[in-house]
Amino acid sequence: MLHKIEYKDRHNIISCYLPKGAAPDKNAMEELHRMTELEETLDRLAAAKGFFQGEEQRIEKIVLTPDFHKGAGIPIGTVMMTKGFAVPQAMGNDINCGMRFYITDLSEEKVRDKLSELTKKIRHTFFEGGRQIPMTGRQRQAMFRYGLEGILETNQDSKKSGLWKYYRPDVQEKWLKRTVFRGSLKADDTEGLEDFIGSYGQLTYDDQIGTIGGGNHFLEVQRVAEIYDGQTANAWKLKKGAAVVMLHTGSLMIGHHSGLLNRKICQEIYPAGLVHPENKIYPIPDADATSAGGVMQDAWNRFWSVSGNAANFGFANRLFLGFMIQDAFNDVLGECDMELLYDAPHNYIWKMQTADGNYYIHRKGACCAGGCEEMLGTEFAYYGEPVMIPGSMGSSSYLLRGLGNPESLWSASHGAGRKKSRGDAIRGNDDAFRQFMEKFHIITPIDPTRNDLKGRTDILAKWEESIRAEAPYAYKDINEVIAVHTTHNMAAPVARLEPIFTVKA
C-alpha cells in the first residue's frame, strides 16, 4: 500500500509521502525535527521589540516528498509554507538548482551510431576548455540583475562568437514563456560579484558559466521508452524512440556566495542579546510583517536581490549547457533541432499572494507541480506543469504533468532520493557496480581508457569512487517514487525515459 503519513511535530502537521514499504529515513527525520525548532526561534523573535508585529508569522504547513532524505541543516525533499517570513536556508545554498528539458529531432539510433565521436567532442567542450562562452561585464551584470531577459537585451555584445552562434533572440523570447519566472528575477544589486562581472565592455571568459557541477548533477541524453499519456505527449512533441535532453544543475559557486550572504543578512538583523537558534536556521521577516522600518526593509530587499542574482545565474547556466550539447550534436551528427519544453527550479522560494496575505513556499529538492489552474495563461494550461523527475544515473527517468494538488503544496519529487550515503555507496557492491558499468555509457573529465592513465591507480580509484557514489544502488527505486505521485494525485506520468549516455563532472 502506497501511503501518506501525517503526524505532529511541535505545532506543525507534517505530511510525508512514502514509497511502498518505506519508512522515513531516521537521520533525515532527526534533521527535520531540528529544523522545526524554528518555531522556538519565532516565539523568541515575536517577543523581541521591533522584529515582528501582530501574530502573522507562522509555519503553515510542511510536506515531505517521496525522495525525502538527509541534507545539510534542512532535509532534501522538504516543502515548507510560511506566513510573515521566509527562511533562506530552506532553499539550500545551490539556489535555483533545477531541471531543463529539450525535445530533439534525433533518433536513438543516430545518437548511438556516433557515440564514440560524440564522447570525444563532449569531453572537449565540457571539460577541456572548449566551452567558448565569452561575455562582457555588461552582459554579466544584466544576467545577474535581470536573468534571461537581461541576456536577451544584451546578447548583441557577444558578436555571435563561440556558442553565441546558437542564440536566436526570437526563439529565446518565446522560450521565456516555458521557463519558471521567465528565468528572470529582478535584483536591485550585484552584491559581492563585482570582480566576477569584470570589464564592462570587454568580452572575457569565466570558469563558472556552462558548468554542470558535482554530486548528482548531470546532463543526460535519453530515449523516450514509453508514453503513458498520448494527448499530452503529442502536445509536447514527444515521440517514442526519439532522443531528448535532461539537464540538472544550479548556480554553483554563485549560489554558495549568495547563500553565505543571506545567512549574514539574517544574522545582522537578529536582535542583540537574544539567544541565537541552536539549529542555526534564521528567518527573515516579510517587510510588511515587521514594525522595525527601514532596517528590516533593507534586509528584506537585500535578501531577494542576493537570491535573485544566484537564481538568474542558474537559469543562464542551464541555457548555455544546452548550447554546449547542441554544438556537440551539430558537429558530429549534422545540424539538428533542439526545442525547450520547460525549465524549472527545485531550490527556491515562491511568493503566493492570497486574500489572507502573503505566503512563501520554500522548496529544497522539490519540483513545482502546478495543475491546469495554476498554469492558466501559459501554453500548459490544458495539461499541467511539466515535471521532470530523474532516476539515479543509469536508471529510468520520468516526465510528468503536475496536478496542482494543494495537499502536497503543489509539489513533487526532484529525483529518486538517496537510500545510501555517498560513503556507503562507495564501499562494496562490486558485482552491481561492474554490471552497471558494462551497460552504461558515462562521459566524465577523466577518460579511464587513456594509455597514460593505465598505471595511475590513484587517479582511477578516485574516478571510480565518484561513479560509485551516484550508481543506481545508492538510490531508491524510481518506479516506486513515481507510483506515489500517481496514487496521491501529485503528478501524472506522461513518458518514461531511458539513458543513452550521461555527462557528469
Side-chain angles (χ1 to χ4, degrees):
M1 174 68 181
L2 303 171
H3 57 296
K4 178 177 80 168
I5 295 175
E6 288 196 344
Y7 63 95
K8 193 167 186 178
D9 188 327
R10 303 178 196 279
H11 304 115
N12 308 297
I13 299 296
I14 300 175
S15 298
C16 182
Y17 294 85
L18 296 170
K20 182 179 180 181
D25 177 77
K26 182 181 177 182
N27 293 329
M29 292 305 294
E30 288 176 357
E31 187 173 53
L32 179 72
H33 181 71
R34 289 194 298 273
M35 184 199 85
T36 60
E37 292 170 7
L38 174 63
E39 290 271 15
E40 297 171 8
T41 304
L42 293 174
D43 290 342
R44 287 196 295 270
L45 290 170
K49 186 178 179 180
F51 200 89
F52 287 120
Q53 63 178 358
E55 298 180 357
E56 290 294 300
Q57 68 286 345
R58 64 179 182 268
I59 297 174
E60 189 74 17
K61 187 173 184 179
I62 297 174
V63 165
L64 311 178
T65 65
D67 66 341
F68 173 73
H69 60 285
K70 190 179 183 305
I74 293 178
I76 296 160
T78 299
V79 186
M80 179 169 67
M81 187 176 185
T82 64
K83 187 177 184 187
F85 67 96
V87 182
Q89 287 147 289
M91 61 177 163
N93 272 355
D94 194 2
I95 297 169
N96 187 16
C97 185
M99 307 289 298
R100 190 172 177 91
F101 192 91
Y102 289 96
I103 310 293
T104 83
D105 61 354
L106 296 169
S107 67
E108 176 192 5
E109 291 76 14
K110 190 168 185 178
V111 174
R112 288 196 186 278
D113 285 347
K114 296 286 186 177
L115 201 47
S116 178
E117 294 95 323
L118 275 170
T119 298
K120 291 176 184 175
K121 173 65 178 177
I122 288 168
R123 185 170 280 122
H124 171 72
T125 301
F126 281 70
F127 307 123
E128 296 172 352
R131 283 181 294 173
Q132 297 298 308
I133 311 171
M135 298 177 78
T136 64
R138 186 173 90 106
Q139 285 179 297
R140 290 192 185 94
Q141 187 176 67
M143 170 185 68
F144 285 128
R145 292 195 61 191
Y146 305 106
L148 299 185
E149 289 181 354
I151 290 176
L152 182 65
E153 290 298 315
T154 59
N155 77 90
Q156 64 275 12
D157 284 13
S158 66
K159 302 174 183 176
K160 292 292 182 183
S161 55
L163 291 175
W164 286 95
K165 65 186 176 184
Y166 296 109
Y167 191 97
R168 288 179 48 193
D170 58 330
V171 171
Q172 294 304 318
E173 189 165 16
K174 180 177 74 172
W175 287 0
L176 291 176
K177 299 173 185 176
R178 301 179 186 177
T179 307
V180 174
F181 307 128
R182 289 175 57 86
S184 310
L185 291 157
K186 187 179 182 301
D188 295 331
D189 200 0
T190 53
E191 187 174 349
L193 296 169
E194 294 77 14
D195 289 343
F196 185 87
I197 288 170
S199 176
Y200 193 73
Q202 184 180 357
L203 280 170
T204 57
Y205 295 87
D206 65 72
D207 63 356
Q208 291 290 295
I209 197 79
T211 303
I212 293 175
N216 65 343
H217 299 133
F218 63 86
L219 182 152
E220 190 163 89
V221 176
Q222 306 164 332
R223 74 178 187 98
V224 180
E226 290 186 82
I227 289 176
Y228 305 111
D229 179 345
Q231 184 178 14
T232 304
N234 186 56
W236 292 356
K237 300 180 182 178
L238 280 171
K239 296 179 180 178
K240 191 171 181 178
V244 295
V245 177
M246 183 181 282
L247 255 164
H248 173 201
T249 191
S251 50
L252 309 167
M253 290 306 296
I254 304 299
H256 183 71
H257 161 83
S258 294
L260 291 176
L261 262 179
N262 277 335
R263 179 170 293 196
K264 181 183 176 187
I265 291 166
C266 291
Q267 291 173 338
E268 286 173 350
I269 62 171
Y270 198 82
L274 199 66
V275 175
H276 281 251
E278 282 189 30
N279 61 8
K280 299 181 181 179
I281 295 173
Y282 292 85
I284 184 166
D286 185 328
D288 296 332
T290 178
S291 57
V295 173
M296 291 299 190
Q297 183 71 63
D298 289 347
W300 184 245
N301 292 344
R302 264 180 85 196
F303 155 63
W304 285 111
S305 184
V306 164
S307 302
N309 291 158
N312 288 335
F313 181 85
F315 285 122
N317 190 37
R318 291 194 288 273
L319 169 70
F320 283 103
L321 281 162
F323 290 157
M324 288 160 65
I325 192 65
Q326 186 173 5
D327 187 56
F329 284 155
N330 284 12
D331 187 60
V332 175
L333 305 176
E335 191 168 334
C336 71
D337 184 54
M338 277 179 55
E339 184 172 355
L340 179 69
L341 175 64
Y342 206 56
D343 187 306
H346 46 238
N347 282 9
Y348 205 65
I349 302 172
W350 280 251
K351 184 177 181 179
M352 180 184 245
Q353 292 179 308
T354 72
D356 189 33
N358 293 334
Y359 290 86
Y360 297 94
I361 297 179
H362 306 65
R363 294 185 175 102
K364 184 180 179 186
C367 291
C368 39
C372 297
E373 183 178 346
E374 288 75 31
M375 301 309 287
L376 280 175
T378 77
E379 59 191 279
F380 304 107
Y382 295 104
Y383 309 100
E385 187 168 19
V387 177
M388 297 150 275
I389 305 184
S392 61
M393 181 171 58
S395 69
S396 293
S397 296
Y398 284 81
L399 182 64
L400 305 92
R401 59 183 186 89
L403 297 176
N405 188 342
E407 290 298 310
S408 60
L409 290 177
W410 307 272
S411 301
S413 296
H414 88 310
R418 299 193 75 91
K419 67 179 180 182
K420 289 178 177 286
S421 69
R422 285 183 169 84
D424 287 342
I426 287 169
R427 295 185 290 271
N429 299 297
D430 290 341
D431 290 340
F433 181 71
R434 275 195 298 273
Q435 291 172 18
F436 161 61
M437 291 301 289
E438 285 171 4
K439 296 177 182 177
F440 185 58
H441 190 81
I442 179 168
I443 303 170
T444 65
I446 291 176
D447 176 2
T449 66
R450 273 172 41 189
N451 288 329
D452 59 336
L453 289 179
K454 287 182 179 176
R456 294 300 305 270
T457 54
D458 54 338
I459 294 175
L460 292 176
K462 285 291 183 186
W463 171 83
E464 184 175 307
E465 282 184 3
S466 69
I467 306 300
R468 281 178 178 265
E470 301 301 326
Y473 46 73
Y475 286 83
K476 299 172 188 172
D477 186 326
I478 185 63
N479 299 306
E480 293 181 359
V481 168
I482 297 302
V484 179
H485 289 79
T486 303
T487 300
H488 294 291
N489 296 315
M490 301 164 76
V494 175
R496 183 176 67 82
L497 316 161
E498 292 181 348
I500 299 173
F501 66 83
T502 300
V503 185
K504 287 186 67 69

